[in-house]
Amino acid sequence: MTKKIAVLPGDGIGTEIVAEAVKVLEALRRDFGLSIEMEQALVGGAAYDAAGHPLPEQTLALAKAADAVLLGAVGGYKWESLDIALRPEKGLLGLRSELGLFSNLRPAILYPQLANASTLKPEVVSGLDIMIVRELTGDIYFGRPRGIRILENGEREGFNTMVYRESEIERIGRSAFDIAMRRGRRVCSVDKANVLECTELWREVMTRVAKDYPEVTLNHMYVDNAAMQLVRAPKQFDVMVTGNMFGDILSDCAAMLTGSIGMLPSASLDASGKGMYEPIHGSAPDIAGKGIANPLATILSVAMMLRYSLNQAELAGRVESAVNKVLDQGLRTADIYTPGMHKAGTAEMGDAVVAALR
Ligand code: NAD
């Protein structure tokens, strides 16, 4: 059956990198039998300029009707003074909540060819391949009550509420275990169960979910230890699953183990496996329009789309191998360039990946 993909380039380098990812999808359709339809729409600042809103109705309808969404990035200096409700980032947040995307997958993969880009020793990070599964719609970021109140003595007090329902924990747990089944079959659940009742429940529910996945090994780790282990011996991890706040912090830490923001994809999934796929970086207004942005994070987001929403694991592997091949050939965009390599622009890198698919 033909799958529908909503293509939302967004702002800044978004349009440049998404164009390269689309080239890859077109090559897969033309040469490898991938049955897809793609339709583009505006989001972010570009949508505000054209339609007065960062997430126009038409874009939302397209995203809702699609099997998967490919997003570039949103934002830029031009829109920074807009009212907060109309800022480009609202387009992104609106898509996440309207599409019910509760499971955020952030792989941290270090390509051996780029081991020198990491601030950690090559032997610590070379071959690193971690998947962080972060719950995206609950936790202290959304819990109520919240606010700043004035105490009897006139002092102000800020407060937030960490809250998770069993059903929310179970849902993200299943997402993580399902992913572990397609990878190394190990899940590390991160919590602070020694101090926070909310995460005591988290641990209990994760242990219960694990019983349905006898082939997957589950271990639990306190978040402070997890942060330490990520920089001490990160290769011990396969899949890490955690709540919204811990995941926010740990996924950025894990991403930076690889040292190259232009290489890292992400996925946000709903309960049925539909997802939005995007690079972890932003719209990079400092280099927009120069044709030098690294398109590989977006191309690798296409690989995640093939694997998680389109059920095309073989083609996903093909795209990932093609990226490996171009790195082996010595092609490097400016952000990952080291002397002796061949410096490539955005389009040259995209074309090289397309050629390496065969
Ligand atoms: P950024 O990720 O856009 O850029 C940080 C640095 O990394 C810049 O020096 C940039 O040139 C470089 N960089 C990023 N992606 C690159 C790529 N593919 N190739 C080469 N170099 C790359 O973060 P920022 O500068 O903090 O934010 C810029 C804008 O992007 C802001 O408006 C911000 O709100 C927005 N933003 C959007 C998203 C998103 O759409 N998901 C995420 C983060 C930031």
Side-chain angles (χ1 to χ4, degrees):
M1 208 177 69
T2 303
K3 301 279 188 183
K4 284 192 184 143
I5 301 172
V7 178
L8 313 180
D11 307 317
I13 61 167
T15 51
E16 301 164 50
I17 54 180
V18 165
E20 302 312 310
V22 166
K23 275 185 196 166
V24 171
L25 281 165
E26 273 166 358
L28 293 176
R29 177 165 60 185
R30 192 182 55 234
D31 302 333
F32 297 95
L34 179 66
S35 182
I36 49 164
E37 275 169 16
M38 289 183 269
E39 194 175 332
Q40 288 218 10
L42 296 172
V43 71
Y48 173 80
D49 287 349
H53 196 277
L55 181 57
E57 278 297 318
Q58 210 186 341
T59 302
L60 182 57
L62 180 72
K64 280 186 170 168
D67 296 292
V69 178
L70 177 65
L71 187 116
V74 297
Y77 314 129
K78 187 179 167 191
W79 303 285
E80 273 169 10
S81 56
L82 280 179
D83 183 84
I84 196 153
L86 293 173
R87 293 221 189 119
E89 292 73 14
K90 281 284 169 193
L92 197 59
L93 297 176
L95 278 168
R96 284 182 187 153
S97 66
E98 288 285 336
L99 299 180
L101 306 173
F102 69 91
S103 176
N104 185 221
L105 316 189
R106 291 263 303 252
I109 296 171
L110 188 95
Y111 290 85
Q113 303 92 326
L114 304 179
N116 289 332
S118 176
T119 49
L120 272 74
K121 292 187 196 120
E123 63 268 28
V124 175
V125 287
S126 188
L128 183 79
D129 182 358
I130 306 176
M131 177 69 83
I132 299 207
V133 180
R134 167 190 172 194
E135 202 288 331
L136 207 55
T137 55
D139 204 349
I140 195 163
Y141 291 176
F142 294 94
R144 293 189 178 273
R146 61 189 297 156
I148 299 172
R149 60 193 162 206
I150 298 174
L151 300 175
E152 275 172 16
N153 68 359
E155 190 185 2
R156 290 189 305 156
E157 179 180 69
F159 59 101
N160 291 86
T161 307
M162 179 179 259
V163 54
Y164 265 122
R165 291 183 188 189
E166 276 187 290
S167 56
E168 290 174 307
I169 305 170
E170 177 158 349
R171 189 171 69 161
I172 193 71
R174 291 198 180 281
S175 188
F177 279 91
D178 285 341
I179 286 158
M181 286 295 289
R182 305 185 204 185
R183 296 174 40 104
R185 304 194 170 187
R186 287 181 295 119
V187 170
C188 175
S189 170
V190 177
D191 61 40
K192 190 74 182 167
N194 50 342
V195 182
L196 301 167
E197 286 83 352
C198 178
T199 71
E200 199 181 322
L201 180 67
W202 175 282
R203 186 174 282 218
E204 193 191 306
V205 174
M206 283 296 162
T207 306
R208 193 173 72 208
V209 171
K211 296 205 170 80
D212 292 340
Y213 296 85
E215 290 156 75
V216 179
T217 310
L218 169 71
N219 76 307
H220 303 278
M221 199 176 272
Y222 296 136
V223 63
D224 42 349
N225 187 25
M228 197 168 76
Q229 295 301 329
L230 264 180
V231 288
R232 192 188 73 85
K235 283 191 268 184
Q236 70 184 281
F237 297 110
D238 176 25
V239 175
M240 293 178 101
V241 61
T242 190
N244 204 345
M245 181 168 64
F246 297 160
D248 190 2
I249 299 163
L250 293 180
S251 62
D252 268 20
C253 174
M256 281 306 103
L257 297 175
T258 72
S260 45
I261 197 170
M263 293 295 301
L264 295 171
S266 79
S268 304
L269 305 180
D270 76 359
S272 67
K274 171 173 168 168
M276 184 157 87
Y277 298 83
E278 53 181 316
I280 69 158
H281 60 72
S283 58
D286 53 333
I287 58 166
K290 295 185 179 162
I292 58 169
N294 187 346
L296 294 181
T298 318
I299 290 171
L300 290 166
S301 300
V302 164
M304 290 189 85
M305 176 192 288
L306 291 162
R307 181 168 285 120
Y308 294 111
S309 288
L310 305 186
N311 219 3
Q312 296 280 354
E314 193 267 323
L315 291 184
R318 188 174 282 276
V319 172
E320 287 157 355
S321 304
V323 167
N324 245 312
K325 267 193 231 165
V326 299
L327 293 175
D328 279 342
Q329 289 159 9
L331 263 75
R332 301 282 187 274
T333 42
D335 57 309
I336 51 173
Y337 178 76
T338 44
M341 297 292 134
H342 170 78
K343 198 180 266 186
T346 311
E348 186 182 354
M349 192 59 125
D351 291 340
V353 174
V354 168
L357 287 171
R358 289 191 198 92

